[in-house]
Amino acid sequence: MESTPKNESYGYSILNIANWFLAREESQYLTLEQVQKLCWYANEFTFANTNKRLFNDVFYIYKDIPSSITLLHNYNQYDLFEILPKLNNKPYIKEIEIQNYLENIFKLFSKDYKENISKDNLFIVHALEDSNKENKIKKYFSKIKKFFK
């Protein structure tokens, strides 16, 4: 079986993907913390399904969340829990499959974010335990979640 190089990607930038999430109609409540999580999940989910990453940005653990230096620098004027400005235009994503992955990630991991805007600013990512729809996601992310514990 031929293996795919670890750094093979679709060639998008992490800012492209972050902007895609920030341009969604429901994104007026997203914080930098949430955008970082969405980007990380989207990259990992795409890799799990296609053996290619969306982008080659590196994530680190910062304040117990997967964090991109690129996103932290790009949004350095915002606090981690401050709501980011909603964008008007979605960046172009060529592949329909990738558009579907991004939609699914947004719906799966941000389903409760509107109700959770508070001082604590909880971002619910426990949809994995509650959902029977996405078995492939559940298996993959249960392995990944162990890494962050």
Side-chain angles (χ1 to χ4, degrees):
M1 184 171 178
E2 189 177 309
S3 68
T4 305
K6 191 173 183 170
N7 63 354
E8 188 174 339
S9 80
Y10 284 93
Y12 295 104
S13 75
I14 191 169
L15 295 174
N16 229 181
I17 302 305
N19 289 342
W20 189 93
F21 287 122
L22 288 168
R24 287 192 36 77
E25 188 173 321
E26 304 88 353
S27 68
Q28 68 267 21
Y29 301 106
L30 290 177
T31 66
L32 179 54
E33 175 197 28
Q34 294 162 340
V35 169
Q36 291 199 99
K37 286 180 180 181
L38 287 168
C39 288
W40 183 77
Y41 284 125
N43 205 32
E44 294 302 318
F45 177 72
T46 302
F47 182 71
N49 284 284
T50 67
N51 255 3
K52 287 172 76 174
R53 301 205 180 273
L54 286 172
F55 49 83
N56 284 325
D57 213 68
V58 176
F59 282 86
Y60 300 93
I61 301 302
Y62 175 71
K63 295 190 179 184
D64 297 327
I65 64 165
S67 298
S68 156
I69 298 297
T70 304
L71 289 178
L72 289 172
H73 283 298
N74 193 65
Y75 294 103
N76 66 356
Q77 69 271 31
Y78 298 96
D79 181 67
L80 201 55
F81 306 110
E82 189 176 345
I83 295 172
L84 297 178
K86 182 185 177 327
L87 301 178
N88 293 323
N89 299 316
K90 270 190 198 173
Y92 177 69
I93 303 292
K94 183 172 83 171
E95 301 83 2
I96 299 294
E97 179 182 38
I98 300 303
Q99 292 174 29
N100 291 336
Y101 289 159
L102 294 175
E103 274 301 321
N104 289 335
I105 289 295
F106 187 85
K107 288 175 185 170
L108 184 65
F109 292 102
S110 63
K111 70 177 187 158
D112 295 326
Y113 69 88
K114 285 183 190 174
E115 291 87 31
N116 289 312
I117 295 185
S118 68
K119 288 181 225 162
D120 303 48
N121 202 5
L122 300 173
F123 183 55
I124 304 302
V125 294
H126 301 295
L128 294 173
E129 288 84 10
D130 302 334
S131 172
N132 292 323
K133 298 181 231 172
E134 308 285 350
N135 286 333
K136 193 169 189 176
I137 298 174
K138 284 172 74 170
K139 279 184 190 174
Y140 185 74
F141 283 117
S142 67
K143 291 177 186 174
I144 291 176
K145 284 171 79 174
K146 289 177 189 171
F147 176 76
F148 288 105
K149 287 188 176 181

